Structures are given as C-alpha cells and as structure tokens.
C-alpha cells in the first residue's frame, strides 16, 4: 500500500492546510466556543488559549460520566497521568504525573493545599467525585507558583458552587460489589449571596485487596469501604468587586485491608484504616481600585488516620496544616503582575514519636503575564524559607506565539523541588530501620518543555515534549535503609491529544510516551523507574441520540516494573468502559456505567487486585 506524503511538519502553514482539509469547519475556535477560564496555571483567571503551559480541565459533565470510577481512575484517563492502588476504593493510591511520583505533585482544594506531611502525598482516594464541580490539571514543574513538591504538576479540585434560583439536586445508585452511592444538596445565588451544601454517603463491599494467595498478608475476604462526605460554600458580595466567602470539604472514610503484623497484640489479618480529610478556609477578595485586586485567604487542612488490627487500635497519625496567603493582582500598562506572601505551618501528631513535630514555611512570590498581539509571556519567581532546611528559590519562564488564528506554540523552562517528609527526616529507628535522616536536603528538578496547539471550531489538538532532570532524589539504601540524597532521574516524554465534536458525535484521544530512567551511577543505572509505563493511550467516542447520551472508552497501558532493579515485570492491560444516560424529564436522568466490560485482570502494584467487570446504575435529579 502506498501512502500520500503529508506536508512537512516544520511548516505551520502546511500543517494548518492539512488540518483544514481534515476538519473543514469555522476558521477560529474563539468564534465557535469560549475557551475555559483556568486559574491554576497562573494563579490568575486566564483563558486556556492564552496560556503557555500544559493544562487540561475535567468538567462536571465528565465527572457525571465517571460512574463508579474513583478520582484516581478518572485522573488516569487524562494525558500524562498514570495511577497505582493497593486494592479497591479507599486504599492507598496515588497518581504519577509525567513520571513524577505521587509525593512529587501537589493537590489543592479550592486554592488550599491538602496532604500528609509524613508521607508527602494527598489522599485522593478519600475525595468523592460527587463533591467536585471541576478539576484543573497543570502538568510540569510549578514550585515557582506553589512551592515545595510541585515537580510533576498540580491538581486543583473545585467543589460545587451555587448560582441562580434555589434548587435541590440528588443522585443515588447501586452497583457491583454491593455498592451504594447517594448525594443530596441545595444551591443557589443572587447578586448578593451564593451558597451550596452537598452531602453524600458511599458504601461498597469491594473485593479482596490482595490477589496472590502465597502472599503472607493474603486473607480471602472482601475488603470493603465506606465514606461520609460534606462540602459547603458560601459567599457574600456587599458591593461591586467585594466578596467574602468560606469553603469547606470534609470526608470521613473507613476501609478494610489485609496485613500480617505480628507485632499487633491479638491481631489477625483483618485490618481497618479510618481516615479523616478536612479542608476549611475563609477568604476576602477585594477590588481596591480599577487595577488592583487583593485576595486574603486563611485556612486549615487535616489528614488524620487511625489503624486497627481487629478491634485493637494499632496506630494514629495526623497532619494539621495551617495556611495563610495574601495575593495581589495588579493590572499594568502591559500585562498583569502577581505579588503574594504565604505562610504555612505543618504539625504532625499521633502514636509515632517524631523528634521534631512541626515546621513553618514562609514564602514570597511574584509573577508577570502578558498577551502582546501574537506573543504570550509568563515569568514567575518564588522564595520559600523552610524552618527545617533553609531557603529554596525557584523560577520559571515561558513564551508562546500565535502563528495563525488556529495555531499557537510555547516554550518554557522551570525549576522545582520536593521537601523531605517527616518520615524521611525524623521517623524513629527500629530493629529493621535505622530511622530518619535530619540532614536530608530537598530534591531538585529542572524542566524544559515545548508544545504546539491547534484549535478550530469544536476541534482541539496538542503535542507537548518535555525533559525533566531530577537530582538529589531521596532513596532508602540497604543495609540500614537510612534515607539519603543519592539518586538521579530523567523524566522525558511526549503527549499527543485530540478532542472534538462532529454534530452529535464526539471523540477524543490522549497518547503518552514516557521514558522514566534511573540516571544514578550503580547497578540500576539506565533502568526504568518503578511502576511507570512507557506507553499509555486513553480514548473515547460519544453520541447524543435524542434523549440518550452514549459514551465508550478504551484505555491501553503498557507494562511496568514493580521494582527498581527491573526484575518484576507487571503486564500491560487494556480496559473498555461504557456509559449511557437517558433524560426521563428535563431534570431527571437515568444513567448506567459498565467498567472493564471484558473483565480484564491486571495489577498496578504487584500482588494487589483491581476491579473486574462492574456495573453501576442510578438516577440523578439536577434542575437546569
């Protein structure tokens, strides 16, 4: 078979001609649909087509179509993101953004950081999808905007807000593994006030977390999960440009897991972990004059866990994070400036006897964004003063150019760092572990990125190439397993995405190529980093047919190694999911989702099971 040669990729005009032939629609995307407003990429409200970074948005409609999926599974269907889990819903899990581990990325809820200071990760498994209005994902180092740990990127979750007449909303459903999930809420708003309160409860029998019968922790039972959750948002606007508000999210969950901790008195293999995740904040956003807007935010977040062996409490661990920020957005003759100060205090407590139990971080940051005719520019600089290890300065610079109404490209460079956790610094010694290392220094990252975007009508495509060098990685070295700054990694890759609509049809795909290499001199040099796949593809096709909305998804994930030595290979897998909803009346919708319809068995972590074929059916009441 002979193929017609495509125009040379080096010519923007040739590419535009090719895409124009494939998608003969209106000339400019801005003429057909408004680009979403994104906050996370600059900390200022910016249209997506004016950004010089790699960003995507998950809408409420996509969340509705997620059905019984968890937040981590939903995120893993986005470009550049993989996930791992120690079993079913509620178990320890994490996402890998561009090859960076789960403690090398930041999670925000309504502008406020959450996470554990002992593990360095956020409990994504405990955040219910029903409480989320939308999610913004910023890929690439972002410490110059958000401080420590933003090596892979930032995930910002926005809870539901209210507007318009007072309305009730509710949804309930039942699915495989005896799963029930119910949410009810009320929201509304006027020019003066806005409000929203949402409450939910999830209960699932789940499945046995450990699949391997020869594993010492194996216990042939179903490891269930239940979660109660609440979100509330309230704001008042006494005058034009003046707003005071509060945000709240609380999630209280309990999951069962299998273990064989012989140190626990009277313990069998039935263990339970209760975890409370909370985020509270109050803010005042004030337009001081036509060019200056000030935002003051005070808040606190909590990540608290209790572990039980049978009916005996085995451990408690808690992180409290007090946060304060004052951000000033100033419109300049050219562009907009960002000036901010932040204060964070992290405190750990519980049954573990840490030698140091708190630390403070004081931060100053500045930035400038501008769109000058066809040029887009963004510069950011931040300095963090950490009471444990001193100062860290990070910066980023990016440039974008709009070649045609449809084509734009960007080039960026940024630095980032990850702060050592309390476990790495101060965990007490034991018979098998020499203890933490208080002399640890932060991990460092330097990232270069280039990308191109094409937009025409309802069609969007992008290609992003990145190269992230991470040094001073913290590793637990035998025989003492004391953590030390010795490792080096290279995270480079490419992401190609497309999303579009053809009348009643919709389609999209994201293809990732990742080369996550160990660069440290030694026996593992050149090996692939553990639990990273080098190839991944997520795609969907949808159709609106009268009162029906239909959607099919296909996800392919390549193989991965479960260890740094690259001796334990986990096979790749493919998943097919189906979703359908039917509008019974204007405000009532019957929906169903079937995940992993071909019952593919796969593992993201060695020996830990994943869900087989499962179905969830429900009804949703959501006034328009």
């Amino acid at each position: 078979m002979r193929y017609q040669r495509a125009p040379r990729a080096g010519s923007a005009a040739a590419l535009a001609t090719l895409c124009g032939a494939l998608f003969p629609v209106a000339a400019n995307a801005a003429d057909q649909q408004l680009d979403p407003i994104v906050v996370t990429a600059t900390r200022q409200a910016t249209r997506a087509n004016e950004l010089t970074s790699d960003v995507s948005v998950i809408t409420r409609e996509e969340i509705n179509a997620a059905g019984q999926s968890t937040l981590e599974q939903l995120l893993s269907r986005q470009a550049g993101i993989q996930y791992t889990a120690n079993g079913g819903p509620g178990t320890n899990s994490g996402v890998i953004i561009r090859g960076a581990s789960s403690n090398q990325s930041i999670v925000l809820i309504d502008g406020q950081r959450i996470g554990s200071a002992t593990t360095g990760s956020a409990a994504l498994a405990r955040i219910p999808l029903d409480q989320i209005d939308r999610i913004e994902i910023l890929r690439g180092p972002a410490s110059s905007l958000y401080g420590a740990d933003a090596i892979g990127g930032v995930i910002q979750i926005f809870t539901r807000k209210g507007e318009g007449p007072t309305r009730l909303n509710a949804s309930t459903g039942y699915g495989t593994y005896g799963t029930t999930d119910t949410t009810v809420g009320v929201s509304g708003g006027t020019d003066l006030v806005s409000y929203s309160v949402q409450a939910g409860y999830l209960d699932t029998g789940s499945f046995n977390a450990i699949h391997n019968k020869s594993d010492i922790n194996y216990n042939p039972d179903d490891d269930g999960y239940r979660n109660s959750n609440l979100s509330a948002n309230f704001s008042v606007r006494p005058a034009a440009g003046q707003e005071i508000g509060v945000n709240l999210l609380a999630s209280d969950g309990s999951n069962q897991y299998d273990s064989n901790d012989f140190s626990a008195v009277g313990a069998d293999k039935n263990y339970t972990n209760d975890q409370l995740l909370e985020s509270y904040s109050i803010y005042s956003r004030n337009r001081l004059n036509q060019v200056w807007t000030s935002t003051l935010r005070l808040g606190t977040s909590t990540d608290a866990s209790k572990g039980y062996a049978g009916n005996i409490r085995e451990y408690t661990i808690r992180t409290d994070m007090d946060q304060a920020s004052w951000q000033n957005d100033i419109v300049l003759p050219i562009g907009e400036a960002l000036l901010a100060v932040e204060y964070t205090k992290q405190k750990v407590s519980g049954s573990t006897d840490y030698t140091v139990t708190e630390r403070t971080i004081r931060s100053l940051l500045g930035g400038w964004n501008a769109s000058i005719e066809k040029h887009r520019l963004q510069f950011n600089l931040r300095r963090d003063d950490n009471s444990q290890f001193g100062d860290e300065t990070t910066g980023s610079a990016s440039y974008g150019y709009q070649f045609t109404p449809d084509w734009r490209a960007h080039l960026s460079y940024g630095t980032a760092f990850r702060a050592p956790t309390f476990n790495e610094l101060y965990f007490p010694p034991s018979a098998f572990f020499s203890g933490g290392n208080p002399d640890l220094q932060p991990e460092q990252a330097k990232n270069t990125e280039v990308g191109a975007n094409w937009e025409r009508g309802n069609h969007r495509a992008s290609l992003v190439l990145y190269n992230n060098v991470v040094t001073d990685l913290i590793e637990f070295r035998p025989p003492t397993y004391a953590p030390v700054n010795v490792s080096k990694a290279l995270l480079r890759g490419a992401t190609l995405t497309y999303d579009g609509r053809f009348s009643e049809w919709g389609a999209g795909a994201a293809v990732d190529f990742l080369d996550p290499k160990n660069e440290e001199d030694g026996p593992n040099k050149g090996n692939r980093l553990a639990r990273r796949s080098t190839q991944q593809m997520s795609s969907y096709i949808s159709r609106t047919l009268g009162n029906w909305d239909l959607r099919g998804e296909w996800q392919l994930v390549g193989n991965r190694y479960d260890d740094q030595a690259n001796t334990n290979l986990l096979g790749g897998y493919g998943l097919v999911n189906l979703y359908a909803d039917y509008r019974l009346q204007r405000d009532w919708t019957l929906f169903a989702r079937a995940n992993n319809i071909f019952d593919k068995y796969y593992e993201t972590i060695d020996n830990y099971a994943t869900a087989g074929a499962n179905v969830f059916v429900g009804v949703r009441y959501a006034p328009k």
Side-chain angles (χ1 to χ4, degrees), residues 556-570:
L556 294 174
V557 180
N559 61 33
R560 64 186 78 189
Y561 290 100
D562 195 61
D563 59 335
Q564 297 289 2
N566 286 187
T567 59
N568 189 4
L569 183 66
L570 304 180

Side-chain angles (χ1 to χ4, degrees), residues 68-70 72-73 85-93 125-126 177 179 202 204-207 223-226 254-256 611:
Q68 195 175 338
S69 304
T70 64
E72 315 92 276
Q73 291 170 334
N86 291 58
T91 57
N92 289 334
S93 61
R126 302 304 177 115
Y177 308 120
T179 301
L202 166 69
T204 177
S206 193
F207 48 87
D223 297 308
Y225 174 62
R226 60 91 183 152
S254 178
N255 73 283
Q256 297 171 330

